[in-house]
Amino acid sequence: MTPTHDSDPATRLRAAGLRVTAPRLAVLSALADAPHSTADDIAGRVREALGSVSTQAIYDVLRACVSTGLIRRIEPAGSSARYETRIDDNHHHLVCRGCGRVADVDCVVGAAPCLHPAGLEDGFTVDEAEVVFWGTCADCRARQQDSSHQYEEFAE
């Protein structure tokens, strides 16, 4: 059974068959506060909350939570793996080419998998489709415009 996103982290851990430990609670809390975080980002937040926690412990918690379905691992091309707690729906991601920020995008179709490849070969059954949209966020666009305006001023 996959616990719901909104339930208490300790309850979610128990429902997934995992022991409730301070590092696991801290990882889930870090991800609730900052979705789409990298392992390094999570480690920093966990260390702020708990003090000294090894990098290996963080990776062990992430691996256990991914394998039990408590969190989702996404890997945008050219980026470090990122993690999120939004697992209860079929959604996709938008990645900024400038700063790497990741945002959730609701699936228009709704049901998973939302895409079905034509001509499935070798008896595959599709259970997930991952869609990543790439673009430029508003902050990066504004920085680009500011840079071009500064260049124009120097060119005159």
Side-chain angles (χ1 to χ4, degrees):
M1 173 185 134
T2 301
T4 63
H5 172 69
D6 296 325
S7 66
D8 172 63
T11 303
R12 293 177 61 214
L13 287 165
R14 286 187 198 100
L18 296 173
R19 286 185 311 120
V20 177
T21 65
R24 287 176 177 161
L25 291 171
V27 164
L28 291 177
S29 175
L31 283 171
D33 292 342
H36 311 119
S37 292
T38 65
D40 288 341
D41 296 336
I42 295 164
R45 288 178 173 273
V46 168
R47 289 181 183 121
E48 286 176 11
L50 300 180
S52 179
V53 177
S54 74
T55 301
Q56 186 60 50
I58 300 299
Y59 278 101
D60 290 345
V61 169
L62 290 170
R63 188 172 24 263
C65 289
V66 168
S67 69
T68 58
L70 285 176
I71 63 175
R72 180 178 176 191
R73 176 185 168 124
I74 62 170
E75 296 182 62
S79 174
S80 298
R82 295 171 180 266
Y83 300 87
E84 67 180 345
T85 57
R86 184 175 171 185
I87 56 167
D88 294 338
D89 66 349
N90 188 43
H91 71 281
H92 306 298
H93 297 95
L94 176 60
V95 181
C96 177
R97 291 186 190 277
C99 65
R101 186 171 69 91
V102 178
D104 288 332
V105 177
D106 290 334
C107 181
V108 175
V109 177
C114 63
L115 301 175
H116 298 280
L120 282 178
E121 301 292 329
D122 298 326
F124 276 91
T125 300
V126 177
D127 59 18
E128 182 179 3
E130 186 170 314
V131 176
V132 178
F133 298 94
W134 293 87
T136 307
C137 71
D139 291 340
C140 287
R141 279 194 321 275
R143 278 193 292 277
Q144 289 170 348
Q145 288 174 344
D146 288 345
S147 295
S148 67
H149 289 295
Q150 289 174 356
Y151 178 74
E152 289 171 3
E153 289 173 11
F154 288 120
E156 293 176 354

